[in-house]
Amino acid sequence: MSTVEFLGANDELTHARVEFRSQPHPIPADARVAYKLAQVALVLYSFNRNSASIENLHLFTWSLQSRRSGQMLLSWWSGSRYASTVTQRSDPHLPVALNVGLIRGMVGITGANHNRVTLQPSGVLLAQRIISDDDLMTTEKTYLRQFNKLSDAAVSRRLARNS
């Protein structure tokens, strides 16, 4: 059966003009590798010894995705909201950024189970440059300062996790 037979010879669809146009679809900021690497550098720099478990890195980069997710983590952290709701959050863009960070030597994977991410000297330098520039990533820096110096143990205690 031909298309004309299927649609009907007199049907206006048989004579419709189909046109395809390229339309740009901007990539959201949190999906851009350079931005995500800067976030990773800031988060890890906020942790003791510039190192965090992959689970905590996911949690904190997830909390930077939106005001709502940031407020949720802050309420768990302060104890005003019970953290028994699923506190393991993941950032879908983090694995790509970590792979690029590994290739570029900005981060390293450590730990017996390869479950820790550690900021390497070039990553520390990036974090320090971001922190020293008052006009760069101000929202993220202000947000992370609310947690003081972080550690995996502090996150576990605050969120009542079993590590």
Side-chain angles (χ1 to χ4, degrees):
M1 177 185 293
S2 73
T3 307
V4 173
E5 292 172 333
F6 178 73
L7 295 174
N10 295 328
D11 192 64
E12 64 186 52
L13 290 177
T14 59
H15 303 292
R17 180 180 163 108
V18 177
E19 196 173 308
F20 295 96
R21 287 178 285 160
S22 176
Q23 293 185 340
H25 295 285
I27 298 172
D30 66 339
R32 295 178 186 166
V33 174
Y35 174 73
K36 189 56 65 179
L37 279 172
Q39 271 189 341
V40 166
L42 284 176
V43 169
L44 289 175
Y45 194 76
S46 299
F47 270 79
N48 189 26
R49 297 184 182 173
N50 302 324
S51 182
S53 71
I54 189 72
E55 181 182 59
N56 287 334
L57 184 57
H58 267 286
L59 177 66
F60 278 85
T61 58
W62 165 83
S63 74
L64 290 169
Q65 287 180 0
S66 70
R67 184 174 299 214
R68 183 178 182 274
S69 59
Q71 288 301 319
M72 191 178 298
L73 180 55
L74 280 170
S75 66
W76 291 335
W77 192 262
S78 68
S80 64
R81 185 171 176 186
Y82 190 56
S84 73
T85 56
V86 179
T87 56
Q88 184 174 349
R89 301 290 192 211
S90 66
D91 179 346
H93 306 293
L94 184 60
V96 172
L98 287 179
N99 283 333
V100 172
L102 279 166
I103 291 167
R104 303 292 250 167
M106 292 177 58
V107 297
I109 304 297
T110 60
N113 296 324
H114 305 290
N115 62 345
R116 297 193 62 69
V117 181
T118 303
L119 209 52
Q120 298 301 307
S122 62
V124 170
L125 183 60
L126 173 63
Q128 289 170 338
R129 286 185 176 170
I130 293 168
I131 288 169
S132 68
D133 188 332
D134 293 337
D135 297 325
L136 195 57
M137 299 182 80
T138 55
T139 304
E140 292 87 345
K141 291 186 293 191
T142 301
Y143 174 76
L144 289 170
R145 273 189 222 115
Q146 296 176 77
F147 296 96
N148 296 320
K149 196 68 173 171
L150 291 167
S151 69
D152 288 332
V155 174
S156 292
R157 278 192 308 273
R158 291 285 190 132
L159 302 183
R161 283 190 183 161
N162 295 326
S163 293

